[in-house]
Every structure is written in structure tokens, then in C-alpha cells.
Amino acid sequence: MNLPNKITVLRVCLIPIFLVVFLIEPFGVMVSAWVAVLVFSIAAITDAIDGHLARKYKLITNFGKLMDPLADKLLVCSAFVAFAATGLLPAWAVILLISREFYISGLRQLALEQRIVVAASNLGKFKTITQIVLTIYVLLPPPLTFFVFDIVIFVLVIITVIFSIVSAVDYTIKNKQLFTAKEF
């Protein structure tokens, strides 16, 4: 278990902490909101850190190839489900965003079975950035977001959904050979 893999495991371990702080608000609304922002932000930053360390020091492992993208999806999807459950995000958007994640995971699994590497694309990275920005904005305490909350949320949701759909189409086009293989 090398350092990048330990950081990936840390990200997964931060998810239940984030959810408890967000949903139960053990420190009161304001403090819990800031703690949720902090925990989510730390978890999101670990994604960049573990990937950077793995590439820089050639510590790429099968565990990391599998768990790093899974940890990212678990983090973001758990936040989106919690937001939909509390009425902070529309269910239709959460369903679309999570469906995209399942689709790309299926595409990666299909590629893996055919010994093809599906590299992260720039559109996929921008999608991740929009998801993180949306999540952090939703988590901000109410006085900081009160006046423009609904408008900004709507715009961020639309941008995030568009990047999610466009990146899924991009992954599909770039990997169309997966759908023409004999096994398909």
C-alpha cells in the first residue's frame, strides 16, 4: 500500500465524515456547514495529490487505477444524493449526473476487458471541476449564499450537467472501438 493509494483510501474514509457533518449538523448549522466544506475540500484535493504522486514517483498500481476514479465518484455522488435528499439540488440533475458516472464506469470496465486504457480527458477534468465548484457552493453557509442561491445553483447545475453529458459523448466517440469489438 503506497502513499498515493493510502491517500485514495483517505478520500473514501472522508465520505462518511462529510455526510454525517452535512446531514446531522452536529456543530450547529453554521459551523457544520464550514466543517462540511472543509472535509469535502480536503477529500477533493486528495484526488489531485494522489494522482500527482503516483505519476511523479511511478507509483501507479492496479489498486490505484481502480480505486482512484471510484473514490472520486463515491465522493461526488454521495454529496449529490445528500443534496437531492435535502432538496438542495433537483433530483433530475442528480439522476443525470450519477447516470453519467455509471455509464463511464461501464465504459472503463468494457475497455479493461478488452485491454484498452481509457485515459482521463480534459472535458472529464472540467466536469470534475464543475462538480466540485457546485458542491462547495451548495455547502456554503446560508448567509453567504442567501440572496443569489437559487440563481447560482441553477446556473452551476446546468453547467455541470452540460459538461457531464458532453464529456460522456466525448469519451464515447474517442472509444468507439469498444462498441465494435467481437465481444460487444
Side-chain angles (χ1 to χ4, degrees):
M1 179 68 68
N2 62 33
L3 182 58
N5 290 345
K6 288 177 182 176
I7 294 171
T8 298
V9 170
L10 171 65
R11 183 164 57 259
V12 173
C13 292
L14 288 172
I15 295 168
I17 296 168
F18 160 73
L19 289 172
V20 165
V21 171
F22 173 72
L23 293 170
I24 298 176
E25 298 175 336
F27 311 111
V29 175
M30 291 295 287
V31 174
S32 292
W34 283 113
V35 172
V37 168
L38 179 65
V39 172
F40 182 86
S41 297
I42 290 169
I45 289 168
T46 65
D47 180 32
I49 294 170
D50 64 6
H52 171 74
L53 291 174
R55 287 185 297 277
K56 182 176 180 176
Y57 297 107
K58 297 180 180 16
L59 296 171
I60 297 170
T61 64
N62 288 336
F63 177 86
K65 287 179 194 176
L66 174 69
M67 288 306 298
D68 182 60
L70 181 59
D72 300 339
K73 289 172 185 7
L74 288 171
L75 175 65
V76 172
C77 290
S78 64
F80 287 161
V81 168
F83 294 161
T86 56
L88 294 172
L89 283 185
W92 65 265
V94 172
I95 291 167
L96 282 174
L97 295 170
I98 292 175
S99 296
R100 182 263 184 213
E101 300 304 332
F102 275 104
Y103 171 73
I104 296 301
S105 293
L107 191 72
R108 287 183 187 278
Q109 181 62 36
L110 184 62
L112 181 67
E113 290 174 9
Q114 297 178 30
R115 292 181 167 70
I116 298 171
V117 175
V118 176
S121 72
N122 286 335
L123 284 172
K125 292 175 184 177
F126 288 132
K127 179 268 316 173
T128 300
I129 291 168
T130 63
Q131 289 178 335
I132 290 168
V133 169
L134 172 61
T135 301
I136 290 172
Y137 187 80
V138 170
L139 291 171
L140 289 174
L144 295 177
T145 58
F146 180 72
F147 296 108
V148 293
F149 186 78
D150 289 339
I151 295 167
V152 174
I153 290 291
F154 177 77
V155 170
L156 288 173
V157 165
I158 296 301
I159 291 169
T160 302
V161 167
I162 288 170
F163 267 109
S164 293
I165 292 170
V166 169
S167 69
V169 170
D170 180 57
Y171 275 113
T172 302
I173 291 169
K174 286 181 178 174
N175 296 285
K176 62 182 178 258
Q177 76 276 12
L178 295 174
F179 302 102
T180 58
K182 282 194 260 184
E183 294 85 18
F184 189 73

